[in-house]
Amino acid sequence: MKRIKVITGGIGSGKSYVCNLLRKRGIEVYDCDAAAKRIMRENQDVRRKLTALIGEDAYQNGELNKAAVAKFLLESDGNTAAINAIVHPAVADDFMQSKYEWMESAIYFEADFGNLIRQMYPQTERPYVVCVSSPLNVRLQRVMQRDGISREKALEWINKQISQAEKEERSDYVIKN
């Protein structure tokens, strides 16, 4: 069984930058965010469950309605947990069935992804976790520019995740970016 290596960190911390450096060195990295989006679009079981949870506006014209999903997510922690319970097992399984040993996951700790993988694949060893960390003002600027959103909205997304300090503490290694 493969030994998993995880790149994590808060939104806007620079995880993608670190992953691109790994790719330049020939190390392929599984992007959990991209995989989740693909799975929510293509996996019929996930689509059915999300529609039952969120309602018919979860998909419009056969496409994921990102605005409806985001609105539902931000309404409550229970909503976030319900979506995670649908999407994360599908992502974990997709990763474990892939050729990748490295994964990028912004919400690795929030989703208890390590335990989820070990429950689904008990023979899996404990992963190495690398946290990418950046000052809050840098993260806010990156998220606002990347997503074209207000400071308040960027802060709302940042505050949905556990603190950067806790991510650093729970990780094996920290990269200050």
Side-chain angles (χ1 to χ4, degrees), residues 16-77:
S16 296
Y17 175 76
V18 171
C19 290
N20 285 334
L21 291 175
L22 290 171
R23 288 181 185 104
K24 286 180 182 177
R25 287 162 179 76
I27 299 170
E28 290 300 315
V29 181
Y30 182 91
D31 182 336
C32 286
D33 286 344
K37 291 171 185 167
R38 174 181 48 80
I39 288 167
M40 286 189 286
R41 278 192 322 267
E42 298 173 2
N43 183 302
Q44 293 305 310
D45 186 48
V46 168
R47 287 176 69 114
R48 182 183 51 74
K49 289 176 182 177
L50 286 175
T51 300
L53 177 67
I54 298 169
E56 292 300 319
D57 63 339
Y59 292 88
Q60 290 182 339
N61 302 319
E63 296 294 318
L64 184 68
N65 182 350
K66 294 177 191 175
V69 174
K71 180 180 181 289
F72 184 83
L73 272 170
L74 292 173
E75 286 175 353
S76 75
D77 291 339

Side-chain angles (χ1 to χ4, degrees), residues 108-176:
Y108 180 79
F109 293 120
E110 292 86 343
D112 202 16
F113 215 75
N115 283 331
L116 175 62
I117 288 174
R118 284 191 297 280
Q119 287 171 5
M120 295 171 70
Y121 295 89
Q123 68 278 23
T124 304
E125 295 181 49
R126 186 179 105 36
Y128 295 114
V129 181
V130 179
C131 177
V132 181
S133 177
S134 293
L136 178 60
N137 63 327
V138 173
R139 295 172 61 203
L140 280 167
Q141 197 62 34
R142 287 176 181 160
V143 173
M144 290 164 45
Q145 185 175 11
R146 180 192 69 199
D147 297 344
I149 59 175
S150 69
R151 184 180 193 286
E152 293 73 28
K153 184 58 85 174
L155 204 57
E156 186 176 3
W157 281 109
I158 286 171
N159 289 333
K160 279 289 200 187
Q161 298 177 340
I162 63 173
S163 74
Q164 187 167 259
E166 183 176 345
K167 285 185 189 227
E168 289 178 11
E169 185 177 305
R170 293 174 68 180
S171 296
D172 298 299
Y173 305 97
V174 176
I175 297 173
K176 297 286 185 177

